[in-house]
Amino acid sequence: MEDFSLRHDARQPAGGARKMAIVGVVASGNLEVLVERVVPERECLVEIRTTAEGFGAVWNAVVADFVDRYSPGGLKFSINDGGARPDTVSLRLAQAVRLMEVEQ
Amino acid sequence: MTLDEILASMFPAGHDVKNDEGVVYGSGSLRSGGLALVVGVADRLPLGVDDAIILSAHVLRSIARDSGPILVVVDSDSQRMSKRDELLGLNEFLAHLGKCLIYADSHGRPTIGLLYGHTAAGAFLSTALATRVLVGLPGATPVVMDLPSMSKVTKLSLEVLEEKAKSTPVFAPGLENLAQTGAVHVIWDAGVPLVDQLETLLASLPDIDDGRGLLGKQRGGRPKAYEIAERVRGLGLQSR
Amino acid sequence: MSTTSMQAAIAPAALTSWYEASARTRVRLLLDPESFMEFVGPEKREVSPHLKVFDLPEQFDDGILVGHGSLGGSSVLIAAQEGSFMGGAFGEVHGAKLTGLLRAARDIGSMPVLILFDTGGVRLQEANAGELAIAEIMRAVIEARSAGAKVIGLIGGRAGCYGGGGLIAGCCSALAVSEQGRIAVSGPEVIETNRGVEEFDSRDRALVWRTMGGKHRRLLGAADAFVDDTIQAFRDAALVLLEQVGGFELSTLTNEQVRLEARLRDFGSCADAVDIWTAEGVADAGAVPALPVNQFIAVADHVRRISHDTR
């Protein structure tokens, strides 16, 4: 297992008012993303725990692209990863942001 | 100890317990008076539909007729693994046996499991683990999953598993490991007449409330179960 | 996963496969809209304390969600296992959540419990804790039922309902299953590994379905209701079963004894499920596996009426 966390500045706060959401499951090639509105609104924090070791650079790139695209300010993402491919990671992160925008 | 030795040591005043090809039933005279129903599995019998239905019948008949505690003696294999047993609904037969024992316990017939040999998986759940108090005798060898099979599933070598088992009792077979989780309440001393230990136990039976979570916490074998169950229970009560 | 959570959230219950859905989607679409309130949810991060020993990933809810909601306007307690995480297996935390929920039901005495099973049984990496959790749950089901709570099991997930999960299912007031809802103690691979391929060929899917699958369980009387593989169908069945099932007393157990003894007497020498269905009076037993849901329900209702005071 490998743990690391990535902190980014965000252009603007994420939309919606929901406090928490979760998507995905921890399985081979899949991951779960728990998202919480708990960090300052111009910041974004992504904490990753993954079974696939040595992919730090890939995570860096995927998360940087995600933050650039969605500007999820104020959100902390906690990830349990079962070795998902980068496109699956991107999909789940995007789903998590959208869920935070949905009325509850 | 053999089943005969155990029964002789537990019921010096006599018993009529029979072992019918691994299916055990009868009664024993308690020193403190009255009779105890004895049911169980011997000779490492795999517990299948035909055996479970006989045992549940004895328990139900006794609920309607007798008083006194129920002793469940266990030296079984795991559940009988066969097409026929599953075809006929083994899960219902094992659950039914467990239900009968749990019902009896809460209706004036305290249940005591006595694990003196082997047991595993579904057979364990429907007999020894369906009692209020589970007693282990030294030399008992309960397993949920043996290490070679676990090695196959987890893809970890036997050596690695044996090493891990030393520090983590939560997955490794054995009486002591199960005692740490709270599954086994007490391990008796084979050097002391069992009748003495049985009478001590009967005189100070634990409360009917399932205390195995707290026991596992106190013994360090299950660090979280008690607290999580209590938290969920509390939140559930607030939803009333 | 072809169905994402977003799509499932929009898709109505009638169009969503129970088998394909995640535990969270099942709960959301089974209950009245927006009524689910989770206890000790994923944000509490109460993960398994044991998986890290094996260098395995944790899931924030340990593979089960428990909570409260409403079904048809009435309060219910609900638990749902996630079959995709470690096969929905029972570990220490996973099991303790269900135990706590059932004890709440016992203490309340009137609020029903829905258990959405999806499990291979005990989680091997924490085998002792998982086995004991199942024992505690069995006792808690009986205590809840004795106190007046109805406990309904819903079975139709990927992992089926195996091992100790099958024993817990056998303790419930009633079960609804879909065709995919396999119920057994020993799984096909376990039987084959221990007894050989002559005893059970785990790769023979047709054999697995007709021995352990929902149709056989319904025809045997092991399940009370057979439903289509949609969340709406399970919801409808749960509402009906909550109306039908009775209490739990000594007569329930003596009735069950009679019911199971009769099964052994009538079908104990049958070699295959098809022989059992034939012996029960199904006209064309060989055609059962291919029967569409509605036709199958008609056949099942004809040959075996379910009485609700025998389990």
Side-chain angles (χ1 to χ4, degrees):
Chain A
M1 299 295 299
E2 194 170 312
D3 292 20
F4 43 92
S5 71
L6 305 170
R7 187 178 288 276
H8 284 264
D9 292 333
R11 288 190 310 277
Q12 57 187 46
R18 201 164 159 177
K19 293 270 184 290
M20 187 274 285
I22 186 157
V23 294
V25 293
V26 182
S28 180
N30 208 335
L31 75 162
E32 71 171 342
V33 179
L34 170 66
V35 53
E36 299 160 289
R37 208 180 292 274
V38 291
V39 297
E41 60 179 27
R42 296 282 173 173
E43 286 177 29
C44 168
L45 178 64
V46 183
E47 294 187 337
I48 298 148
R49 197 167 151 70
T50 176
T51 55
E53 299 184 9
F55 288 89
V58 178
W59 282 102
N60 262 313
V62 168
V63 170
D65 178 63
F66 162 69
V67 173
D68 189 48
R69 225 183 260 210
Y70 290 89
S71 183
L75 302 186
K76 173 184 169 184
F77 298 83
S78 304
I79 293 175
N80 283 318
D81 173 45
R85 290 173 8 176
D87 55 345
T88 308
V89 176
S90 295
L91 174 71
R92 292 274 179 252
L93 285 168
Q95 286 173 342
V97 167
R98 277 193 222 114
L99 272 179
M100 293 297 272
E101 294 166 353
V102 172
E103 295 279 319
Q104 204 185 15
Chain B
M1 292 175 94
T2 65
L3 180 60
D4 287 344
E5 290 165 353
I6 289 164
L7 293 169
S9 179
M10 209 153 44
F11 305 114
H15 70 83
D16 64 2
V17 179
K18 292 183 181 52
N19 175 357
D20 184 5
E21 294 183 6
V23 177
V24 177
Y25 51 89
S27 58
S29 300
L30 295 167
R31 190 168 66 192
S32 49
L35 294 174
L37 175 74
V38 179
V39 291
V41 185
D43 306 330
R44 226 170 156 154
L45 179 79
L47 189 58
V49 293
D50 305 293
D51 322 299
I53 200 73
I54 296 173
L55 293 173
S56 56
H58 280 289
V59 174
L60 284 175
R61 212 172 296 136
S62 177
I63 289 173
R65 184 187 61 195
D66 314 324
S67 58
I70 299 176
L71 276 157
V72 183
V73 296
V74 179
D75 171 26
S76 75
D77 199 346
S78 99
Q79 73 274 6
R80 186 180 291 280
M81 295 173 183
S82 79
K83 178 184 176 186
R84 176 174 174 271
D85 284 271
E86 293 302 342
L87 193 59
L88 292 167
L90 180 59
N91 73 303
E92 290 178 89
F93 287 82
L94 295 184
H96 176 66
L97 175 56
K99 282 190 272 188
C100 292
L101 289 170
I102 294 166
Y103 179 92
D105 187 46
S106 59
H107 289 80
R109 307 294 305 278
T111 50
I112 298 167
L114 186 61
L115 184 57
Y116 70 97
H118 190 75
T119 189
F124 194 9
L125 286 169
S126 57
T127 59
L129 285 176
T131 59
R132 185 192 306 194
V133 189
L134 179 51
V135 175
L137 276 181
T141 57
V143 295
V144 176
M145 170 70 73
D146 59 283
L147 289 188
S149 303
M150 198 180 291
S151 167
K152 222 166 129 182
V153 176
T154 60
K155 297 180 177 65
L156 294 168
S157 74
L158 206 51
E159 295 73 50
V160 169
L161 284 176
E162 279 165 358
E163 194 52 41
K164 284 184 194 293
K166 287 178 194 157
S167 57
T168 313
V170 75
F171 74 90
L175 192 57
E176 290 288 347
N177 291 332
L178 274 160
Q180 281 198 40
T181 65
V184 177
H185 291 73
V186 56
I187 298 175
W188 279 356
D189 183 345
V192 175
L194 299 188
V195 60
D196 296 338
Q197 299 178 84
L198 176 62
E199 292 298 336
T200 304
L201 182 63
L202 287 173
S204 59
L205 273 180
D207 191 70
I208 186 117
D209 279 338
D210 194 336
R212 293 176 287 190
L214 190 56
L215 217 49
K217 177 188 160 85
Q218 288 162 350
R219 294 173 180 174
R222 283 194 300 164
K224 294 183 82 167
Y226 175 74
E227 191 250 325
I228 295 282
E230 277 300 292
R231 256 165 80 192
V232 170
R233 189 177 71 89
L235 290 162
L237 289 178
Q238 285 172 29
S239 69
R240 201 170 351 193
Chain C
M1 261 204 195
S2 57
T3 307
T4 69
S5 303
M6 293 295 292
Q7 287 163 342
I10 297 159
L15 297 176
T16 306
S17 159
W18 182 276
Y19 185 80
E20 297 284 343
S22 69
R24 290 185 179 276
T25 299
R26 287 175 192 153
V27 168
R28 191 170 58 243
L29 296 181
L30 184 81
L31 296 176
D32 299 344
E34 305 298 319
S35 72
F36 179 58
M37 197 170 68
E38 187 166 359
F39 304 151
V40 193
E43 78 284 1
K44 305 290 189 213
R45 295 174 168 75
E46 292 292 358
V47 298
S48 161
H50 308 297
L51 292 178
K52 58 178 170 292
V53 177
F54 291 87
D55 212 30
L56 286 169
E58 295 144 355
Q59 183 159 297
F60 289 123
D61 60 11
D62 204 35
I64 189 171
L65 49 156
V66 298
H68 170 265
S70 61
L71 184 75
S74 299
S75 275
V76 293
L77 296 166
I78 186 166
Q81 297 181 292
E82 177 51 67
S84 303
F85 174 66
M86 304 209 73
F90 287 88
E92 176 174 347
V93 172
H94 182 117
K97 284 181 168 180
L98 182 50
T99 303
L101 190 79
L102 288 159
R103 288 182 184 159
R106 172 198 65 192
D107 294 348
I108 295 169
S110 55
M111 199 183 289
V113 186
L114 305 177
I115 305 177
L116 284 52
F117 289 97
D118 200 351
T119 185
V122 170
R123 187 184 296 168
L124 297 183
Q125 291 82 0
E126 37 193 299
N128 296 336
E131 177 94 347
L132 180 49
I134 288 166
E136 289 169 330
I137 291 162
M138 287 172 65
R139 184 169 273 261
V141 170
I142 299 310
E143 288 176 354
R145 291 185 60 191
S146 299
K150 296 167 180 175
V151 183
I152 309 290
L154 307 178
I155 302 173
R158 286 165 183 278
C161 184
Y162 282 103
L167 269 73
I168 298 170
C171 292
C172 290
S173 317
L175 302 175
V177 292
S178 64
E179 180 153 24
Q180 291 86 340
R182 291 140 294 147
I183 307 171
V185 188
S186 313
E189 290 83 7
V190 173
I191 301 176
E192 185 182 320
T193 302
N194 284 278
R195 296 285 304 276
V197 70
E198 310 77 30
E199 177 68 28
F200 205 93
D201 182 355
S202 65
R203 282 171 307 177
D204 183 345
R205 302 322 285 171
L207 172 68
V208 173
W209 291 114
R210 73 176 184 271
T211 307
M212 301 169 176
K215 280 181 173 167
H216 177 55
R217 291 305 178 215
R218 169 61 187 86
L219 283 173
L220 202 59
D224 304 75
F226 183 86
V227 301
D228 200 359
D229 174 40
T230 68
I231 297 180
Q232 184 68 46
F234 274 99
R235 177 183 157 94
D236 295 344
L239 284 164
V240 170
L241 289 174
L242 284 173
E243 287 295 314
Q244 289 175 337
V245 300
F248 180 79
E249 46 204 283
L250 184 56
S251 63
T252 318
L253 290 171
T254 50
N255 290 344
E256 182 165 60
Q257 181 77 25
V258 170
R259 176 172 71 86
L260 295 178
E261 283 176 356
R263 185 187 297 172
L264 285 186
R265 189 181 59 237
D266 296 343
F267 310 127
S269 57
C270 291
D272 194 275
V274 175
D275 302 331
I276 293 181
W277 306 337
T278 303
E280 277 189 293
V282 177
D284 184 3
V288 163
L291 278 184
V293 173
N294 286 336
Q295 288 178 36
F296 173 76
I297 290 173
V299 169
D301 287 348
H302 181 67
V303 300
R304 185 172 293 277
R305 301 193 76 80
I306 301 291
S307 54
H308 294 284
D309 54 354
T310 66
R311 65 160 70 235

